[in-house]
């Protein structure tokens, strides 16, 4: 059975998986005050200092940023989180990344195989496509953060 790729949240990132396509998070920018929002805002600008009247337009966010903070999750979260209690728990790494051009911090999981030992505050990372979960019918896609130096080392091997 072929499983359908589905974004965990539609409209938060590009979905083109063709070779050479650049994966990006998608935000919105207010044309009146130039504030950028992620997750995207589709109704009114949330900047209290905005003069108002600006249209919100979709913008791709910077593909790279610097680690602002990170931590690991070594326990199964309590309810209402849902997971198979019979499946082994897999620890994960959360990374908060500062996107300087947008003046914001975006949270996401580290790419598979990246541990806290691979990270340091201030290190450069890039956003890459990821998989949050798979079931019988779908592959639920998301984004991950991957150290830039790691990618460049792997590309040379």
């Amino acid at each position: 059975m072929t499983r359908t790729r589905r974004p965990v949240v539609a409209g938060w990132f590009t979905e083109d998986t063709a070779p050479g396509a650049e994966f990006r998070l998608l935000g919105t920018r207010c044309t009146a005050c130039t504030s950028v929002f992620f997750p995207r805002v589709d109704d009114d600008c949330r900047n209290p200092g905005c003069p108002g009247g600006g249209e919100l337009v979709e913008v791709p966010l910077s593909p790279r940023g610097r680690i602002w903070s990170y931590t690991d999750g070594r326990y199964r979260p309590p309810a209402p989180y849902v997971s198979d209690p019979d499946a082994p728990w897999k620890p994960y790494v959360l990374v908060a990344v500062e996107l300087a051009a947008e003046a914001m911090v975006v949270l996401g999981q580290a790419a598979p195989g990246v541990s806290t030992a691979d990270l340091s505050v201030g290190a450069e990372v890039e956003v890459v496509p990821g998989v949050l979960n798979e079931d019988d019918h779908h592959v639920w896609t998301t984004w991950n953060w991957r150290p830039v130096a790691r990618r460049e080392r792997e590309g040379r091997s």
Side-chain angles (χ1 to χ4, degrees), residues 29-41:
R29 180 179 47 79
C30 175
T31 58
C33 70
T34 70
S35 293
V36 178
F37 302 95
F38 181 83
R40 62 184 300 128
V41 174

Side-chain angles (χ1 to χ4, degrees), residues 4-24:
T4 306
R5 293 180 66 83
R6 287 253 171 103
V8 172
V9 181
W12 283 19
F13 50 88
T14 58
E15 297 177 47
D16 186 356
T17 57
E22 186 174 30
F23 182 82
R24 300 286 285 269

Side-chain angles (χ1 to χ4, degrees), residues 14 16 18 38 43 59 73 95-96 102 115 118 122-123 126 137 140 149 157:
T14 58
D16 186 356
F38 181 83
D43 45 6
V59 292
V95 186
E102 290 85 1
S115 72
D118 300 318
E126 65 183 341
H137 305 286
W140 297 98
S157 7

Side-chain angles (χ1 to χ4, degrees), residues 90-107:
K90 295 179 185 174
Y92 57 92
V93 176
L94 288 175
V95 186
V97 176
E98 182 175 18
L99 304 176
E102 290 85 1
M104 69 172 61
V105 174
V106 176
L107 186 67

Side-chain angles (χ1 to χ4, degrees), residues 38-102:
F38 181 83
R40 62 184 300 128
V41 174
D42 292 318
D43 45 6
D44 295 317
C45 181
R46 293 184 184 164
N47 176 0
C50 181
E55 180 185 357
L56 292 167
V57 295
E58 182 177 275
V59 292
L61 302 183
S62 299
R64 291 184 176 192
R66 301 231 171 245
I67 296 175
W68 184 76
S69 183
Y70 61 94
T71 190
D72 60 348
R74 297 199 166 271
Y75 62 92
R76 188 183 309 263
Y81 176 80
V82 178
S83 67
D84 181 351
D86 298 325
W89 174 248
K90 295 179 185 174
Y92 57 92
V93 176
L94 288 175
V95 186
V97 176
E98 182 175 18
L99 304 176
E102 290 85 1

